[in-house]
């Protein structure tokens, strides 16, 4: 699952011409560490939902990669 | 193009389906009733016209009924036409909250929910898609009895403008078609005298052509309109 999240994060970064990452740590912040803006986060949500069937932003804001893992865990 | 059209069973929605199909596009229609008029199109275009019966007065069901069971993520959506609507007309002092809530569910909340999931589909497929909402001239010119109805369309116009601003950088467009009075079931309860009064307020002194409204909607969905977003296009025989 963590590998798939990394792949999806990189698809979004690449789509927005941002630098891809080699790995993710649970403490990484989506906005500050990865540089996601609100439209990037929307695309991330959509791609994760398509793959895992879970809307990660459904009940409140998500700030870190670890919070995504626990939603999908 | 793959286009979702609400209110496809008659009137303007049916005509929009017809124009899209004539141009070779694929249409996913939504309404409560499968009508004879729609059936005629479905026979002629059996591979490119689809139908699902959905009651849009229950917006909470839209995610499941429309986007999980019908226009799923496996379909690449190019555009949406939010056309389905109902008119609750009465003078303001007779306003009934329950009727107002139903009208807002169909005319405002349903198009907003559909826009939400349509944009999500476009994001997944990186599609520069297009949304068209159908409003009404009553937002811009006052008519006795239409305050509640016009307010719902005004909400839609504001929603469209800000959607255009929000998603423009990804190439997703949102526009509004603003028709004048047309001869459809929605205006069938008006007397000839009431209609004549309405038509006298237009430059061209007649009912707005349903075909012209449908053709303009399809133009806005097309590549030809790629630089048009955040606009209200009036098709109202010059109600000025
Ligand atoms: N007619 C006019 O003079 C006029 C003027 C300005 C603007 N407009 C606007 O133009 C658009 C089309 O109107 P029209 O004249 O074609 O009206 P219409 O003949 O009454 O058609 C309305 C369409 O919306 C569908 N609809 C209504 N309630 C629904 C619900 N709860 N769930 C799903 N579908 C629903 C109807 O299908 P079912 O009944 O089968 O569900 C029908 O296909 C509307 O947005 C209207 O506000 C009309």
């Amino acid at each position: 699952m963590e590998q798939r999240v990394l792949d999806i994060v990189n698809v979004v970064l690449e789509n927005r011409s941002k630098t891809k990452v080699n790995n993710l740590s649970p403490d990484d912040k989506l906005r500050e560490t990865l540089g996601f803006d609100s439209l990037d986060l929307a695309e991330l949500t959509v791609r994760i939902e398509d793959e895992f069937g879970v809307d990660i932003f459904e009940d409140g804001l998500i700030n870190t990669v670890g919070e995504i893992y626990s939603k999908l865990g | 193009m793959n286009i979702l059209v609400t209110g496809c069973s008659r009137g303007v929605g049916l005509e929009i389906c017809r124009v899209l199909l004539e141009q070779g596009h694929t249409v996913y229609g939504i309404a409560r009733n499968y009508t004879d008029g729609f059936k005629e199109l479905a026979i002629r275009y059996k591979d490119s016209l689809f139908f699902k019966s959905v009651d849009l007065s229950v917006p909470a069901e839209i995610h499941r009924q429309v986007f999980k069971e019908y226009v799923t993520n496996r379909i690449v959506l190019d555009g949406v036409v939010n056309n389905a609507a109902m008119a609750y007309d009465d003078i303001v002092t007779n306003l009934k909250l329950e009727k107002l809530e139903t009208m807002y569910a169909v005319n405002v909340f349903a198009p907003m929910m559909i826009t939400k999931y349509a944009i999500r589909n476009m994001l997944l497929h990186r599609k520069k898609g297009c949304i068209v909402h159908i409003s009404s001239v009553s937002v811009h010119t006052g008519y006795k009895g239409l305050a509640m109805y016009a307010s719902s369309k005004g909400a839609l116009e504001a929603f469209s403008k800000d959607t255009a601003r929000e998603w423009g950088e990804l190439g997703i467009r949102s526009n509004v078609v603003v028709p004048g009075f047309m001869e459809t079931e929605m205006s069938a309860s008006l007397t000839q005298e009431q209609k004549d009064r309405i038509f006298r307020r237009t430059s061209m002194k007649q009912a707005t052509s349903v075909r012209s409204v449908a053709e303009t909607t399809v133009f806005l969905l097309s590549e030809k309109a790629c630089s048009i977003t955040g606009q209200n296009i009036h098709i109202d025989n010059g109600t000025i």
Side-chain angles (χ1 to χ4, degrees), chain A residues 1-2 13 18 20 28 40 44 49 52 54 58 64 67 70:
Chain A
M1 177 266 279
E2 297 184 7
L13 289 171
K18 292 179 179 171
K20 296 210 281 180
D28 284 349
D40 302 335
L44 180 74
E49 188 187 24
F52 296 95
V54 176
E58 185 90 330
T64 66
E67 285 166 36
S70 57

Side-chain angles (χ1 to χ4, degrees), chain B residues 2-37:
Chain B
N2 291 322
I3 308 293
L4 172 62
V5 178
T6 70
C8 62
S9 60
R10 57 173 192 265
V12 175
L14 184 63
E15 197 62 24
I16 292 169
C17 293
R18 193 188 318 278
V19 174
L20 283 165
L21 292 163
E22 284 168 3
Q23 296 185 11
H25 303 298
T26 298
V27 177
Y28 294 84
I30 286 177
R32 287 164 303 181
N33 302 295
Y34 192 83
T35 56
D36 289 344

Side-chain angles (χ1 to χ4, degrees), chain A residues 1-2 11 16 22-25 28 47 55 61 67:
Chain A
M1 177 266 279
E2 297 184 7
V11 168
R16 306 300 299 276
N22 292 325
N23 47 47
L24 290 175
S25 112
D28 284 349
R47 292 190 183 284
D55 182 344
L61 275 184
E67 285 166 36

Side-chain angles (χ1 to χ4, degrees), chain B residues 6-14 16 30-35 51 53-58 82-87 102 106-107 133-138 149 153 156 177-188 190 208 210 213:
Chain B
T6 70
C8 62
S9 60
R10 57 173 192 265
V12 175
L14 184 63
I16 292 169
I30 286 177
R32 287 164 303 181
N33 302 295
Y34 192 83
T35 56
F51 177 82
S53 175
V54 177
D55 184 351
L56 295 172
S57 68
V58 194
N82 281 311
N83 161 79
M86 56 179 289
T102 305
V106 177
N107 293 13
H133 302 285
I134 310 295
S135 178
S136 161
V137 67
S138 59
Y149 169 72
K153 296 298 193 178
L156 208 50
V177 164
V178 189
F181 278 82
M182 297 168 283
E183 299 275 12
T184 66
E185 234 166 89
M186 190 173 270
S187 52
L190 295 174
T208 293
V210 172
V213 172

Side-chain angles (χ1 to χ4, degrees), chain B residues 179-199:
Chain B
F181 278 82
M182 297 168 283
E183 299 275 12
T184 66
E185 234 166 89
M186 190 173 270
S187 52
S189 63
L190 295 174
T191 65
Q192 193 55 47
E193 203 222 316
Q194 285 172 312
K195 285 184 190 169
D196 287 342
R197 264 213 315 270
I198 289 167
F199 299 152

Side-chain angles (χ1 to χ4, degrees), chain A residues 14-16 37-39 42-43 45-47 49-50 53 55 57-58, chain B residues 63 68 73-74 116-117 119-121 123-126 166-167 169-170:
Chain A
E14 199 171 13
N15 283 344
R16 306 300 299 276
D37 65 19
S38 56
L39 302 195
E43 185 178 334
T45 310
V46 163
R47 292 190 183 284
E49 188 187 24
D50 188 55
D55 182 344
F57 280 96
E58 185 90 330
Chain B
H63 183 210
K68 288 276 179 204
N73 276 345
R74 304 285 70 82
K116 166 181 174 174
Y117 293 109
I119 292 178
R120 283 174 165 233
N121 180 299
L123 278 177
L124 183 67
H125 299 291
R126 307 198 66 218
E166 192 169 288
W167 294 96
E169 69 176 277
L170 298 191

